[in-house]
Amino acid sequence: MPTPTKGPRLGGSPTHERLMLNNMAAQLFEHKQIKTTVTKAKRLRPVAERMITNAKKGDLASRRRVLAQISDKSVVHELFTSIAETMAERPGGYTRITKIGPRPGDNAPMAVIELVLEPYSPKQATVKEAEQATAAAAPAADEAPTETEEAADEAAVEAEAETAEESTEAAEEK
């Protein structure tokens, strides 16, 4: 069982906080971004990311686990079909919080929490693959040259000799 949050909660009772966060998560999945206070956005992030992780699993138990939190079946269907497919390659960090300044009425700090829907490009994995490829190519280059490499070397030497002959002929004509 998760440890209850210490101090004052967002809306009063723990039940009210849980219901409010579940509703905010449903709105986030429906609209792809919502505008709320910074505190609520920070509390919403783990709830929403846990639901997305369950949606990526895609099995019946995960769907029922999410349906226990979000009662709107159309939102859950969208989460499991479209959102989970776009997040399939992403290992985490499904949401982004951007602070947008204070609210005019009560000067509360506001933020936009949105789903990160850009395609994931694993930069570190690409760098590691490139390093492995160069490491594998280095021992192969140390070995004896293959027939194609020898033919390419001979063709390069002949091309250099021809250009040298042409340049000497051009110099003699002048």
Side-chain angles (χ1 to χ4, degrees):
M1 180 174 164
T3 307
T5 56
K6 304 228 185 304
R9 285 161 201 85
L10 294 177
S13 68
T15 307
H16 182 251
E17 180 180 353
R18 188 180 68 240
L19 289 171
M20 186 170 48
L21 292 175
N22 290 341
N23 286 333
M24 289 173 63
Q27 293 300 308
L28 176 65
F29 299 141
E30 185 177 351
H31 300 292
K32 308 298 188 260
Q33 72 174 15
I34 57 172
K35 182 177 168 184
T36 184
T37 62
V38 173
T39 307
K40 287 180 183 177
K42 287 181 179 180
R43 290 301 247 314
L44 174 61
R45 173 181 264 172
V47 173
E49 292 195 1
R50 196 173 308 118
M51 288 183 194
I52 293 172
T53 303
N54 282 329
K56 282 173 57 176
K57 292 178 187 173
D59 58 345
L60 182 61
S62 299
R63 185 176 288 265
R64 286 179 177 166
R65 206 171 294 128
V66 173
L67 274 168
Q69 295 176 326
I70 299 175
S71 59
D72 190 359
K73 290 183 181 181
S74 63
V75 173
V76 174
H77 178 71
E78 182 179 350
L79 171 64
F80 273 76
T81 55
S82 64
I83 296 173
E85 287 176 6
T86 57
M87 304 285 185
E89 297 298 317
R90 190 173 292 276
Y94 310 118
T95 58
R96 175 186 301 131
I97 297 175
T98 309
K99 295 180 181 177
I100 58 172
R103 185 165 48 198
D106 59 354
N107 207 26
M110 298 298 286
V112 171
I113 182 167
E114 59 187 343
L115 296 175
V116 181
L117 298 174
E118 292 87 25
Y120 176 70
S121 61
K123 183 177 180 182
Q124 295 297 330
T126 306
V127 170
K128 289 179 183 177
E129 288 175 7
E131 289 174 355
Q132 291 174 354
T134 55
D142 293 341
E143 297 174 3
T146 60
E147 294 177 14
T148 56
E149 291 175 350
E150 289 175 359
D153 291 339
E154 289 175 7
V157 171
E158 289 176 7
E160 288 177 12
E162 288 177 7
T163 55
E165 288 176 11
E166 290 175 3
S167 63
T168 54
E169 290 176 5
E172 289 176 0
E173 289 178 6
K174 289 183 182 180

